[in-house]
Amino acid sequence: MDPGRLDWDDIRLFLAIARAGTLTGAGKVLKLSQPTAGRRLRALEAACGVALFQRTAAGLQLTDEGEAMLLGAQRMEDEALSLQRQFAGSGEAVAGALRLSSSEWFAHLVLTPPVTAFAMRHPMVTVELIADFRLLSLDRREAELVFRFKPFDAPHIVQRRFTHIRYGLFAAPAYVEAHGFPAPGSDGEGHRLVMMDSQFDTLADVGWLRRRFPRARIAIRSNSREVQAVAATRGAGLAVLPVLLGQTYGLVAEPGVDVPPGRDIWLGYHADLKRLPRLRALVDHLVGSVADPL
């Protein structure tokens, strides 16, 4: 292998292919066409003198030599990203780009209004709000600010509890008129439920719903709270939703004191960016603009 023929772009391509498993997927990440990605991979393998990937029906799989290269490539990426974060964190002007990541309904109903106000107040800042179930990586600078439902466990992440989300049991007015809410102590027989899909069965509100109404029929499951809210408005059944979301969709909340457990929202950003003026300004603005609890 001739080390002089390798550069950071080669390593980025290698890592993108290893993660995506296809040239097309890697090309989307790096904004390359599939033929260009393939040509560059062939040149990289020629420079290394070994095959880094095995072509299979399931996609590109790392060879033993590729696995050995992966560890070093990841270390190079970590160092490069650390330098990028440090340089980004040294800026003085409230200007530049910021990417935020959160769940769909939270981005829509909670973050969009204050983010819009911030962008209007700071015209030199471009805010990209990614509403996605998959939260983006702070380490790889896929996002500068992430909102999620549990504390961050990495020591290099600066975090704070952002707000508390209250939940309620909701149904469409027509459903309540036709069926009412289950009577206290009822097992839910004769009712339908709209709830999170099976990968979220450990969530406290899912357990609350199942314990309270063990004989209710599950009509619809989804990993999207907004999908659940829309289904409930169409009369699909009873749904545990954030209070703000249920109210926004015009649903009726069950009266009484037996309410589903709430959840805290945490915000986090990489410690290398803690002196970045535009990020500090946005965090301060959001903390001052969003109610606690919601």
Side-chain angles (χ1 to χ4, degrees), residues 25-282:
K28 289 180 179 179
V29 172
L30 299 179
K31 296 180 172 56
L32 299 173
S33 67
Q34 190 268 353
T36 299
R39 184 173 61 253
R40 285 181 50 185
L41 173 60
R42 290 191 295 273
L44 174 60
E45 291 182 318
C48 294
V50 295
L52 299 173
F53 294 94
Q54 179 181 1
R55 282 70 175 169
T56 72
L60 296 176
Q61 304 291 327
L62 286 168
T63 61
D64 289 343
E65 292 80 6
E67 291 282 1
M69 183 172 173
L70 181 62
L71 297 177
Q74 289 172 332
R75 287 195 296 269
M76 290 180 64
E77 181 186 48
D78 290 342
E79 291 297 326
L81 291 173
S82 177
L83 284 173
Q84 290 178 13
R85 290 191 299 266
Q86 289 175 30
F87 283 124
S90 64
E92 295 181 356
V94 182
L98 287 171
R99 175 178 281 196
L100 283 64
S101 173
S102 84
S103 63
E104 182 182 11
W105 80 265
F106 193 79
H108 174 201
L109 295 181
V110 180
L111 294 180
T112 298
V115 163
T116 301
F118 177 86
M120 295 173 66
R121 183 180 303 171
H122 299 281
M124 299 304 293
V125 177
T126 299
V127 182
E128 188 174 356
L129 182 53
I130 307 300
D132 196 344
F133 169 72
R134 183 186 71 88
L135 298 180
L136 304 185
S137 169
L138 293 170
D139 284 329
R140 294 199 296 269
R141 286 210 70 189
E142 294 177 340
E144 282 74 41
L145 187 62
V146 167
F147 295 83
R148 68 184 213 177
F149 281 101
K150 60 181 180 179
F152 298 80
D153 50 16
H156 53 270
I157 301 301
V158 179
Q159 63 179 305
R160 64 177 293 171
R161 177 188 168 280
F162 182 60
T163 190
H164 181 78
I165 306 297
R166 296 178 296 124
Y167 285 77
L169 183 67
F170 288 91
Y175 183 94
V176 175
E177 183 177 351
H179 307 282
F181 284 104
S186 166
D187 58 12
E189 186 171 8
H191 284 273
R192 301 186 300 270
L193 302 180
V194 178
M195 60 193 301
M196 298 294 289
D197 67 27
S198 56
Q199 65 179 310
F200 295 100
D201 278 348
T202 59
L203 291 183
D205 61 89
V206 174
W208 178 90
L209 194 59
R210 284 186 148 178
R211 287 192 302 273
R212 186 166 174 195
F213 307 123
R215 295 180 64 88
R217 185 177 70 84
I218 300 174
I220 293 178
R221 305 188 76 159
S222 172
N223 66 347
S224 167
R225 295 286 188 182
E226 290 214 75
V227 168
Q228 296 172 46
V230 171
T233 64
R234 299 302 181 94
L238 305 168
V240 170
L241 297 169
V243 170
L244 178 61
L245 184 60
Q247 292 173 341
T248 298
Y249 277 87
L251 296 168
V252 178
E254 180 192 38
V257 296
D258 186 9
V259 297
R263 302 181 71 187
D264 288 333
I265 287 278
W266 295 78
L267 68 78
Y269 54 90
H270 202 284
D272 289 344
L273 300 180
K274 63 184 178 182
R275 292 186 298 274
L276 185 63
R278 62 182 180 273
L279 180 59
R280 292 203 315 267
L282 178 58

